[in-house]
Amino acid sequence: MTAELNQQALKNAIKYFVAAAIAGSIALATDQVSFIWYPLLAVVMCMDETETRVIAASRGRMLGTVAAGVVGFVVHTVLQGWVALTVSLLILVPILRWCRWQAGLATGVVLLSMLFLVAEYSSLDWLYILNRTIDTLIGVLVAIAVSNLLWPINRLAEIYSLDLKLRQLLSKRLLNIQQLLFGTAAAPEAQVPLEGSRLIGQLSQLVNDELRSRPHGAATRKHWRQRCILWERVNHHSMQLLRLISWLPATFDGLEQGPWLNKLHQSLNTKLDVTELNSTNRRQLLKVASQANIPPLLLLAVEDELHRLISSIKSLQLASNAEISA
């Protein structure tokens, strides 16, 4: 995992360097670009791992630049300095929120601060605002071009890869749960739940990017948004099971009568018929608790969490129906 992170960090650093070098070269070669940090600032604020996030950040950058330029010009006609900056922010923030342009808020604040706190901007006019918008547009276009040309991410392939890793990881956790219930395994490792949450976070981010880029594409047809939610539920309920099982005062064999327990570690297998996974009845559990000298409420909580886990797995199998092999 560390090697993957280092490789991704190196790629991101190269992307930033190439985009900044191109934007700076264009700014130096163009007489219209008076302030080189505008395109460079656009590169820094817009560059991201995927082109979808770059486009979203670029849209916010441009909207924030235009809105801040218009508000700054109007306020600049009557006020200057810190007072003008404060009044401009009181006007800009409600406008961006009302137009649902919150993504441009950071850009607007930075631009207004430059306009009113740098002495060389005292001669502010519409031509100046247009030039600064063009400067920003140069950085935005360079960031979009570089993100599409250097190591573009095949999101669907990454989504399927993360889905496979989650199946392998959580299948091992379910096997661990089954062994813990039978008293044949040691306590679970602390880092396993964190790894599952990390993978689900990456999967959700990629799915959101894919849905934003192609709203009617394969990610929508394959129900990936719903599958992300179900993966979160499976991860959560398996985590809760590990905690509850750690509180059991003793091991016991009574749950072997439940047919679902012997197949628990296979429940994420695409070839398994999950309709066979049924939970035991409450009377049987109370009898088992009495025989094993286990608090009935604790055992009922374990059974209830198992039922929720199995229901989430069934729903995940239904959402993944197009991917299931015979």
Side-chain angles (χ1 to χ4, degrees), residues 255 257-262 264 274-285 299-300 302-311 314:
L255 286 180
Q257 302 174 18
W260 44 267
L261 187 55
N262 292 324
L264 183 62
V274 294
T275 58
E276 298 178 359
L277 299 176
N278 299 313
S279 56
T280 56
N281 59 66
R282 296 301 173 91
R283 291 183 179 180
Q284 179 184 353
L285 286 174
L299 191 54
L300 289 173
V302 171
E303 190 273 341
D304 183 66
E305 205 61 45
L306 276 168
H307 178 73
R308 294 173 185 271
L309 174 62
I310 292 171
S311 297
K314 288 181 179 180

Side-chain angles (χ1 to χ4, degrees), residues 38-298:
Y38 274 100
L40 293 180
L41 187 62
V43 168
V44 172
M45 297 185 70
C46 297
M47 183 61 70
D48 212 316
E49 294 181 3
T50 66
E51 76 281 359
T52 304
R53 277 174 257 170
V54 171
I55 292 174
S58 300
R59 185 185 300 114
R61 172 73 177 164
M62 291 304 302
L63 293 174
T65 299
V66 173
V70 173
V71 172
F73 175 79
V74 173
V75 175
H76 187 269
T77 58
V78 293
L79 296 173
Q80 292 182 355
W82 283 103
V83 177
L85 175 61
T86 303
V87 173
S88 298
L89 291 177
L90 291 176
I91 297 174
L92 178 67
V93 173
I95 289 177
L96 291 177
R97 291 188 175 274
W98 181 69
C99 297
R100 297 182 179 179
W101 295 349
Q102 289 92 332
L105 185 58
T107 300
V109 172
V110 172
L111 182 59
L112 285 177
S113 300
M114 289 183 177
L115 293 177
F116 289 107
L117 301 181
V118 178
E120 287 78 3
Y121 295 162
S122 57
S123 59
L124 180 63
D125 54 17
W126 288 110
L127 182 60
Y128 179 87
I129 295 174
L130 177 61
N131 289 333
R132 300 296 75 76
T133 303
I134 294 175
D135 297 347
T136 301
L137 183 61
I138 292 174
V140 166
L141 293 177
V142 170
I144 293 175
V146 171
S147 66
N148 280 276
L149 294 176
L150 294 182
W151 299 293
I153 295 178
N154 186 343
R155 284 188 295 268
L156 286 177
E158 290 290 328
I159 286 172
Y160 281 108
S161 176
L162 289 172
D163 182 79
L164 179 60
K165 290 179 181 179
L166 279 170
R167 288 185 184 277
Q168 295 172 347
L169 176 68
L170 293 182
S171 293
K172 291 180 181 179
R173 188 185 300 175
L174 294 179
L175 177 61
N176 187 224
I177 290 173
Q178 176 181 313
Q179 293 172 342
L180 286 170
L181 285 173
F182 290 150
T184 59
E189 297 181 1
Q191 67 269 20
V192 173
L194 298 179
E195 178 68 10
S197 300
R198 184 185 68 83
L199 292 175
I200 292 172
Q202 292 180 358
L203 179 64
S204 299
Q205 194 172 41
L206 284 172
V207 169
N208 289 334
D209 287 343
E210 181 65 21
L211 291 174
R212 191 182 300 117
S213 177
R214 301 178 182 87
H216 305 291
T220 301
R221 295 194 301 270
K222 302 297 184 181
H223 310 292
W224 274 109
R225 188 186 298 278
Q226 293 83 351
R227 289 160 74 170
C228 285
I229 296 173
L230 291 169
W231 273 124
E232 290 178 359
R233 292 181 179 178
V234 171
N235 184 64
H236 170 74
H237 292 309
S238 60
M239 272 280 300
Q240 290 296 99
L241 267 176
L242 287 175
R243 292 192 181 100
L244 290 171
I245 293 172
S246 66
W247 295 340
L248 289 175
T251 60
F252 50 90
D253 300 327
L255 286 180
E256 291 181 358
Q257 302 174 18
W260 44 267
L261 187 55
N262 292 324
K263 297 182 178 180
L264 183 62
H265 68 287
Q266 300 174 338
S267 58
L268 288 173
N269 190 320
T270 56
K271 297 182 180 180
L272 180 67
D273 182 7
V274 294
T275 58
E276 298 178 359
L277 299 176
N278 299 313
S279 56
T280 56
N281 59 66
R282 296 301 173 91
R283 291 183 179 180
Q284 179 184 353
L285 286 174
L286 292 175
K287 182 179 179 181
V288 170
S290 177
Q291 294 174 350
N293 195 25
I294 295 175
L297 290 179
L298 178 57

